[in-house]
Amino acid sequence: MKKATPLTLSAPEGDSAERLQAITRRAAASARAGGHKPPALIAICKTADADAIRPLLIAGHRLFGENRVQEAQAKWPALRAEFPDVELHMVGQLQSNKAAEAVQLFDAIHSVDRPSLIAALARAIAGSGRRPTLFIQVNLAGETQKGGVTVEDLPALLERAADAGLTISGLMTVPPADQEPSPWFALLAKLSRRHKLPLLSMGMSGDYDIAAALGATHIRIGSALFK
Ligand SMILES: *Cc1c(COP(=O)(O)O)cnc(C)c1O
């Protein structure tokens, strides 16, 4: 009889780079099982300082997300000097008066959700020569405390963006907490097909495998990496 191979440490017990690898693998397997391509993993750093982020950069990871402009400004210029090919995504609520700073700092913005922000982004983009990838955040359940446009108002917001000369590439959502997420992810996927938007930002530490199986192109992972 063959002796059992001792288990190597991996997620969730390993270090952050090992956890990242395990999550990437699990998401890819779920995506393939659902007939989709593996999603990109955005490491969400809102609870992580530069010392916690650096091991992932050293391991070769380049895709990161923040949810506040000011925090990102404090952390990333120095890290980017060391790792210039980093791609930085804004996933949190964005105030219109921070649009210009966000356009300078971020390569993608996932939280476009209202006409005033579209106007501010259009001005900032025109003045900067930069073209961040834009996602519209959809508040699928119409939760009042949450950002995002309602399903009802999504078509009008897409028109607003087109009129302002902005290309919207995808949709993003944070589904209601404490509910089975798959119907919400399926709904977001349906909306993205209806509006012919190629990118789908959905799935966090607790549900990324379900999101990947339903066609997420970007999963946003925080606490499972930086616990
Ligand atoms: C914090 C955050 C995440 C990551 O959530 P975890 O559950 O920690 O993986 C993803 N998306 C948004 C918008 C967030 O604010």
Side-chain angles (χ1 to χ4, degrees):
M1 213 174 94
K2 249 170 77 181
K3 246 172 96 181
T5 332
L7 287 173
T8 48
L9 276 182
S10 68
E13 288 86 8
D15 62 27
S16 61
E18 289 171 311
R19 289 200 292 272
L20 184 134
Q21 224 177 34
I23 294 166
T24 301
R25 270 201 299 270
R26 186 169 165 193
S30 297
R32 284 193 202 96
H36 299 284
K37 283 192 212 155
L41 188 160
I42 309 170
I44 305 295
C45 306
K46 63 187 175 209
T47 63
D49 60 13
D51 287 344
I53 295 167
R54 197 170 276 108
L56 295 184
L57 287 162
I58 290 166
H61 194 69
R62 290 294 179 268
L63 181 52
F64 293 86
E66 291 280 355
N67 73 336
R68 299 179 65 145
V69 173
Q70 253 165 331
E71 233 181 274
Q73 275 171 334
K75 270 186 247 174
W76 283 99
L79 287 169
R80 269 182 161 159
E82 271 180 84
F83 302 94
D85 53 343
V86 156
E87 187 179 322
L88 197 57
H89 288 217
M90 170 65 175
V91 302
Q93 285 301 106
L94 182 57
Q95 292 171 278
S96 297
N97 65 8
K98 295 263 166 67
E101 289 162 278
V103 165
Q104 284 303 327
L105 191 58
F106 293 101
D107 303 294
I109 297 172
H110 292 231
S111 48
V112 181
D113 66 352
R114 58 194 190 278
S116 57
L117 181 56
I118 282 176
L121 286 170
R123 275 195 303 276
I125 286 169
S128 71
R130 287 178 51 82
R131 289 213 149 253
T133 302
L134 301 178
F135 296 73
I136 286 186
Q137 181 176 356
V138 188
N139 187 338
L140 293 171
E143 294 170 283
T144 48
Q145 78 284 11
K146 233 179 223 176
V149 65
T150 61
V151 173
E152 214 176 27
D153 292 340
L154 174 62
L157 196 65
L158 283 164
E159 263 184 52
R160 260 313 172 103
D163 291 347
L166 294 184
T167 301
I168 301 296
S169 300
L171 299 178
M172 180 273 240
T173 201
V174 180
D178 310 320
Q179 278 188 36
E180 166 60 44
S182 52
W184 301 113
F185 292 152
L187 175 56
L188 197 73
K190 190 172 103 178
L191 292 170
S192 76
R193 285 194 299 274
R194 178 182 300 164
H195 294 289
K196 301 191 167 51
L197 301 170
L199 303 182
L200 261 182
S201 168
M202 59 186 196
M204 310 194 291
S205 292
D207 54 20
Y208 66 85
D209 52 337
I210 301 168
L214 290 168
T217 61
H218 293 75
I219 56 174
R220 308 182 308 268
I221 308 296
S223 52
L225 286 174
F226 302 110
K227 48 186 182 179

